[in-house]
Structures are given as C-alpha cells and as structure tokens.
Amino acid sequence: MKHSALVTGGTGLLGSWLITALMRSGQYKRVYAIARSSSDSVAEARVCSLLKAIPHGLTSKTFGNLTVFKGDVSQSNLGLDLDNLKEVRDVFHGAAVADFSTSLDQIRLTNVNGTRNVFEMARTLKRQNGELPVRVHHISTV
C-alpha cells in the first residue's frame, strides 16, 4: 500500500522541486505540503503558483494528489491537525530561514526550534499510527 509524504519548505527553491519530484515519481498516494499563510487556500495558491513555474512540472492529474495546508514549523505539530496526516510515512523537512540578515532569534526559532518541532511531530504521528515508522529527511543549507 502506498503511503503519503509531507514536505515543509514547499515555497522554497528545493522544496518546490522536491514536491514536483515526489508527485511525479508515483511513489506516494498523496503529497502534503505546508506553507506559512493566513489560510489553507492562500497557502495552496502560494505553493501551486511556484509549482506551475517549474519546467516540465506537474500536470492537472498529478496536482490532484497534492494537499496544501497552512502551517508553520515554529509551532507545535507545525500548527497542523495531525488527524489529517495519518498515512504520512515520510516527512521531507526543508523549511528554513536562509536570509542571514534576519535576526539570530528568528533564525533559531525557524531553523533550530522548527527542526525540533518536525521531529516531535513525526514521533507523535508514529505513536498515533500504531508505531508504524515515520522517516524524517532533513534538507539543510548548512
């Protein structure tokens, strides 16, 4: 049975290409992505506009396997309702602040605490899913 994947950082350069690659691979029945936003629909619009700009990207058929939620790695459980993510077995974490003119406190909130929150969320998903493994793939500029 195919499982699903969750991508953080979907509005970034690597994250948007990763979403495209995961969806085109056919390995996952659904790809979830999160983006900071005021609502799920605005988050979806942000992610989809980037995906449409990728050459040889997604078709209308593969867009049907994408669900975008508003979320923020600096929040517990990324600000998500984990009941929506029960079949997630792979988390690809690429959300980060890469602008080093940003304050060190903001960089730590997103890059350090955010990464901790991703791992904690994966542990929670594993417990909720009867101890089925949830793998975290971490992408970093450092």
Side-chain angles (χ1 to χ4, degrees):
M1 176 169 84
K2 288 184 184 179
H3 297 290
S4 296
L6 171 68
V7 178
T8 70
T11 57
L13 177 68
L14 292 176
S16 58
W17 280 87
L18 179 59
I19 290 169
T20 301
L22 293 175
M23 292 180 66
R24 291 182 80 202
S25 75
Q27 183 177 353
Y28 297 99
K29 70 177 179 179
R30 176 153 302 281
V31 174
Y32 296 97
I34 65 165
R36 286 173 293 158
S37 181
S38 58
S39 69
D40 288 342
S41 61
V42 173
E44 181 177 10
R46 287 184 64 211
V47 171
C48 289
S49 69
L50 288 167
L51 298 180
K52 289 176 184 175
I54 295 174
H56 310 292
L58 301 174
T59 65
S60 58
K61 178 183 174 190
T62 53
F63 260 110
N65 295 333
L66 174 66
T67 301
V68 181
F69 295 115
K70 77 172 186 153
D72 188 334
V73 297
S74 67
Q75 297 179 4
S76 175
N77 290 328
L78 317 187
L80 301 172
D81 178 356
L82 297 187
D83 287 339
N84 294 325
L85 304 173
K86 289 182 179 179
E87 74 274 1
V88 168
R89 296 296 176 267
D90 286 292
V91 177
F92 295 86
H93 174 47
V97 174
D99 175 3
F100 295 111
S101 65
T102 303
S103 74
L104 187 56
D105 287 340
Q106 184 60 46
I107 291 171
R108 283 186 179 135
L109 179 66
T110 302
N111 297 8
V112 177
N113 294 347
T115 300
R116 182 179 300 119
N117 290 340
V118 168
F119 279 97
E120 287 297 324
M121 181 208 61
R123 287 177 51 190
T124 302
L125 282 174
K126 180 180 176 186
R127 284 193 302 270
Q128 286 180 349
N129 297 331
E131 298 298 319
L132 291 171
V134 177
R135 298 179 292 191
V136 176
H137 311 268
H138 185 230
I139 304 162
S140 176
T141 58
V142 180

